[in-house]
Amino acid sequence: LFEGNKVTGELEALSMGIRSCSRLTKLLLRFQGNQITGELETLGKSLQSCSQLSILEIALQGNRVTGNLDALGEGIQCCTQLAELCLLFEGNKVTGELEALSMGIRSCSRLTKLLLRFQGNQITGELETLGKSLQSCSQLSILEIALQGNQVTGQLDALGEGIQCCTNLAKLCLFFQDIQITGSLGELGRGIQSCSKLAELHLNFQGTQIQIAPVLGEWSSGLPTALRRGILQFSDRQVTPDQFREMHRILARVR
């Protein structure tokens, strides 16, 4: 755990070491705020030897890591015992598509915690693939996906269908501002209504083409009764004054 130091070097040597540790059950790599370089592919390949992992956290935010997300997804696909997966890559230059990562997540049916913080990278792909992967993650209790500033496209509806399978969710955070996704809150709302244990909800769709109307009324009657904290963020052009008042009325129910 080397947060906020001035650690340098490439990921390759570390990845070679990890590859030799095939019995690992917990791996925490917290290097945020250092000066680490290298290709993400080497780390992904090392994970193919770690099939017994139950907890994996890779925190590289604020470094200079490059490379393709695909190899990391292939590595995670071998880690079928994972209960917690946290990939925190804010502010690097990671490329690749969501599809390979989504395939990896689909293999991890025991996940209870999934954090994907990729803001400020160069990731592409369709949101639908991520939504389909969530259909295999019915045990999730914490889900956070941050994709702002990437080149992700697609429909929000498929993500809602995936969340509908995650009936044990207690915390849901989606940060999708300034990406080219479309759709409406309707399907996502139906997914959220399936999460009766949901206590914390944070949605940020500023700068997207997500349609708000006419589903706010459905949300008003369908929010989980367990909800204790709710934050909904949209651009001014997405929300009329009447819709803003309706949102305020909905969130006023949250205690």
Side-chain angles (χ1 to χ4, degrees):
L1 315 180
F2 296 143
E3 303 101 309
N5 288 282
K6 295 185 178 179
V7 176
T8 61
E10 295 208 0
L11 284 176
E12 187 172 3
L14 175 64
S15 299
M16 288 292 289
I18 293 171
R19 194 176 303 179
S20 304
C21 304
S22 59
R23 297 184 182 181
L24 280 175
T25 59
K26 181 178 180 180
L27 178 60
L28 306 181
L29 303 176
R30 295 177 181 166
F31 294 136
Q32 54 265 46
N34 285 280
Q35 301 172 17
I36 295 171
T37 59
E39 298 287 323
L40 203 59
E41 284 88 338
T42 60
L43 196 54
K45 289 178 181 178
S46 71
L47 293 177
Q48 295 178 15
S49 304
C50 301
S51 60
Q52 297 183 42
L53 276 176
S54 62
I55 298 175
L56 174 61
E57 179 180 325
I58 306 175
L60 293 171
Q61 55 266 51
N63 285 276
R64 293 177 287 178
V65 175
T66 59
N68 203 292
L69 198 63
D70 297 359
L72 189 65
E74 292 170 4
I76 290 169
Q77 199 165 355
C78 299
C79 304
T80 56
Q81 306 299 313
L82 278 177
E84 297 184 13
L85 174 60
C86 305
L87 303 178
L88 317 177
F89 295 161
E90 303 100 304
N92 286 278
K93 294 183 179 179
V94 177
T95 60
E97 295 207 0
L98 285 175
E99 185 172 4
L101 177 63
S102 300
M103 288 292 290
I105 293 171
R106 193 176 304 179
S107 302
C108 303
S109 59
R110 301 183 182 185
L111 280 175
T112 61
K113 180 179 181 180
L114 177 60
L115 306 183
L116 303 176
R117 296 179 183 167
F118 295 144
Q119 54 264 50
N121 285 277
Q122 301 168 19
I123 295 168
T124 60
E126 297 288 323
L127 200 61
E128 284 88 338
T129 60
L130 200 52
K132 289 178 181 177
S133 71
L134 293 178
Q135 295 178 15
S136 303
C137 302
S138 61
Q139 298 183 44
L140 273 178
S141 62
I142 298 174
L143 174 61
E144 180 180 324
I145 306 174
L147 294 171
Q148 59 265 46
N150 286 275
Q151 300 166 22
V152 175
T153 58
Q155 283 275 337
L156 188 66
D157 296 359
L159 192 67
E161 293 172 3
I163 290 172
Q164 198 165 358
C165 299
C166 303
T167 54
N168 291 301
L169 272 181
K171 180 179 180 179
L172 173 62
C173 302
L174 303 177
F175 304 105
F176 291 167
Q177 55 265 47
D178 298 318
I179 60 175
Q180 298 301 309
I181 58 172
T182 58
S184 78
L185 285 181
E187 195 64 45
L188 179 62
R190 281 184 280 277
I192 290 172
Q193 289 171 16
S194 301
C195 304
S196 60
K197 301 176 183 178
L198 192 67
E200 183 174 345
L201 174 66
H202 190 168
L203 306 178
N204 190 330
F205 296 138
Q206 292 176 315
T208 68
Q209 300 177 38
I210 300 300
Q211 299 298 313
I212 310 303
V215 296
L216 281 176
E218 297 177 20
W219 278 55
S220 178
S221 59
L223 282 175
T225 56
L227 195 64
R228 294 294 175 266
R229 185 169 186 260
I231 301 174
L232 307 179
Q233 294 176 279
F234 304 98
S235 302
D236 291 343
R237 62 182 177 81
Q238 291 175 284
V239 184
T240 67
D242 287 344
Q243 290 170 344
F244 179 83
R245 284 190 288 271
E246 177 68 4
M247 286 172 56
H248 180 77
R249 187 180 69 81
I250 292 170
L251 293 179
R253 293 180 51 230
V254 177
R255 295 290 180 265

